[in-house]
Amino acid sequence: MRTFAFVLAAVALALPGAATALDYRSLNQVGVMYESPSAKGKKLWVVRRGTPVEAIITLEQWVKVRDASGSFAWVERKTLSATRTVIVTSNTAEVLQQADKNSPPVFTAEKDLVLEYLDKSSTGWVKVKHRDGASGYIRATDVWGE
């Protein structure tokens, strides 16, 4: 099984259009997720603007993506932005002034809140910004898309 995974990874890297691992993007508009890379394909679900996704395979007009739930789908390339966002995966998470658990809180983020990704520290914190302008640090384990 391990050899198969290695071969599969090597093939994916050799394919033209294959995205690199952890190539996170966000949707710049409401995005329709498809079963196949075609507008004639089966529509699976709709994703709100700003939602982070991981690009897995990039074709000319389509990108196969993975979302925070681990589901895969195809989305039109034009709906993706290079702007990075993260989505809160914990029920609630504190956004703190500094990347330190003893730092004062800036705000509490609820599950499924989308935040702009600003930077990642080497100590397990992600600097984020709320759409209202408030920014701070959240634990990397409380978000997806970083």
Side-chain angles (χ1 to χ4, degrees), residues 20-63:
T20 58
L22 305 178
D23 183 10
Y24 291 107
R25 315 247 181 106
S26 64
L27 277 82
N28 60 22
Q29 61 188 356
V30 172
V32 177
M33 308 304 261
Y34 293 88
E35 185 175 62
S36 60
S38 168
K40 293 179 182 178
K42 180 181 176 184
K43 294 177 183 175
L44 300 174
W45 63 88
V46 176
V47 179
R48 67 183 169 181
R49 182 180 186 270
T51 300
V53 293
E54 180 187 3
I56 305 298
I57 298 173
T58 301
L59 303 177
E60 283 188 31
Q61 303 298 322
W62 293 88
V63 179

Side-chain angles (χ1 to χ4, degrees), residues 55-119:
I56 305 298
I57 298 173
T58 301
L59 303 177
E60 283 188 31
Q61 303 298 322
W62 293 88
V63 179
K64 187 171 190 174
V65 297
R66 180 175 65 98
D67 66 13
S69 73
S71 298
F72 292 92
W74 290 91
V75 65
E76 289 185 86
R77 188 177 192 169
K78 67 183 179 184
T79 65
L80 294 179
S81 169
T83 301
R84 296 270 310 266
T85 60
V86 294
I87 190 165
V88 177
T89 54
S90 298
N91 287 332
T92 59
E94 293 292 323
V95 177
L96 307 177
Q97 288 179 6
Q98 300 295 322
D100 177 342
K101 67 179 181 176
N102 297 316
S103 181
V106 177
F107 64 91
T108 300
E110 300 292 325
K111 185 177 177 93
D112 296 328
L113 177 66
V114 173
L115 300 165
E116 183 180 349
Y117 170 96
L118 299 177
D119 196 19

